[in-house]
């Protein structure tokens, strides 16, 4: 069913080299009739526990794909839209099929969809994670590792998982340029990612 009190907004991703918009990230907010705007930190954990995160996550992907396709048809420059996957949603066995159906329904090319996973969500079953990510990659979808630098940051994952980009968490980013240690850490992550031919996104 539709979710009339929820909305997805889009945060632009800009290139540091030329300032151009290179992508979008779909963000979810809950417009509650009594409490006003409720941020994800409040309702996502409850959705996870109750299982509602699965249909909610599917709705977000569908809306993000539909809106991106609408912008393209309106003549705007085509750019990828990124959507976060919760751990529970990622481990749904029907995830690849659901996303394939969504892309078919909305008419969005797979190359304009990026799925973001967190390091913590990949720890439950590395073999399953690898197989699922490979299936998504074969469809033409881009894969991003979110919150890099705050979890396990296992370098073996960078070799094993078919990633396209790393997202450095804003907790690490906010210390630059004044915090020397943060500068060193981010410089190392950027160098590592570029040597692995991965795109790097600095949140915030």
């Amino acid at each position: 069913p539709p979710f009339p009190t929820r909305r997805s907004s889009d945060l632009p991703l800009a290139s540091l080299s030329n300032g151009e918009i290179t992508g979008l990230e779909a963000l979810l907010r809950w417009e509650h009739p009594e409490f006003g705007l409720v941020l994800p930190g409040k309702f996502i954990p409850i959705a996870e526990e109750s299982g509602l995160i699965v249909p909610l996550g599917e709705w977000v992907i569908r809306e993000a794909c539909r809106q991106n396709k609408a912008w393209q048809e309106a003549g705007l420059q085509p750019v990828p839209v990124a959507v976060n996957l919760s751990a529970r949603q990622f481990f749904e066995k029907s995830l690849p099929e659901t996303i394939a159906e969504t892309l078919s329904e909305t008419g969005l090319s797979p190359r304009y969809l990026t799925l973001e996973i967190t390091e913590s969500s990949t720890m439950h079953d590395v073999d399953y994670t690898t197989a699922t990510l490979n299936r998504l990659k074969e469809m033409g979808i881009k894969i991003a590792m979110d919150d890099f630098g705050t979890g396990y940051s296992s370098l073996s994952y960078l070799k094993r998982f078919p990633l396209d980009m790393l997202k450095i968490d804003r907790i690490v980013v906010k210390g630059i340029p004044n915090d020397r240690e943060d500068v060193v850490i981010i410089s190392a992550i950027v160098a590592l990612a570029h040597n692995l031919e991965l795109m790097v996104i600095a949140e915030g």
Side-chain angles (χ1 to χ4, degrees):
F3 296 90
T5 59
R6 301 184 179 101
R7 70 178 185 185
S8 62
S9 57
D10 295 281
L11 181 72
L13 307 178
S15 169
L16 288 180
S17 61
N18 56 26
E20 292 184 358
I21 301 300
T22 59
L24 303 165
E25 180 179 0
L27 302 175
L28 189 65
R29 301 292 182 265
W30 184 6
E31 294 178 347
H32 193 281
E34 181 180 353
F35 303 115
L37 189 65
V38 184
L39 298 180
K42 296 270 189 179
F43 66 85
I44 290 296
I46 298 173
E48 287 270 10
E49 293 174 10
S50 65
L52 286 174
I53 194 65
V54 175
L56 180 57
E58 292 176 358
W59 178 82
V60 173
I61 293 175
R62 189 178 307 110
E63 283 296 295
C65 292
R66 181 197 61 77
Q67 182 63 73
N68 199 4
K69 181 63 175 180
W71 280 327
Q72 292 181 15
E73 291 179 342
L76 297 180
Q77 177 183 349
V79 293
V81 59
V83 180
N84 292 283
L85 290 179
S86 72
R88 189 158 185 170
Q89 185 182 7
F90 180 75
F91 282 94
E92 283 286 314
K93 295 187 182 301
S94 61
L95 176 67
E97 288 76 15
T98 299
I99 292 177
E101 291 174 4
T102 299
L103 291 171
S104 177
E105 290 172 5
T106 59
L108 184 71
S109 171
R111 63 177 175 157
Y112 294 120
L113 176 63
T114 301
L115 298 177
E116 298 185 0
I117 60 171
T118 60
E119 293 179 273
S120 57
S121 69
T122 64
M123 291 296 293
H124 302 296
D125 189 334
V126 175
D127 290 335
Y128 176 90
T129 296
T130 304
T132 301
L133 292 181
N134 281 325
R135 288 186 65 188
L136 295 171
K137 280 284 291 184
E138 289 170 1
M139 293 166 55
I141 296 169
K142 292 183 173 61
I143 307 297
M145 177 70 79
D146 198 8
D147 298 339
F148 192 80
T150 59
Y152 299 93
S153 297
S154 175
L155 299 183
S156 65
Y157 290 172
L158 300 185
K159 177 181 178 180
R160 186 166 185 177
F161 296 158
L163 301 175
D164 295 285
M165 61 189 71
L166 294 182
K167 291 186 66 180
I168 306 175
D169 192 88
R170 68 174 62 239
I171 293 176
V172 182
V173 174
K174 70 179 183 179
I176 60 172
N178 299 319
D179 189 313
R180 179 183 175 279
E181 292 179 347
D182 282 348
V183 171
V184 171
I185 291 172
I186 290 177
S187 297
I189 294 175
V190 170
L192 175 64
H194 284 175
N195 283 328
L196 292 172
E197 299 182 350
L198 300 175
M199 181 183 292
V200 182
I201 298 175
E203 292 187 339

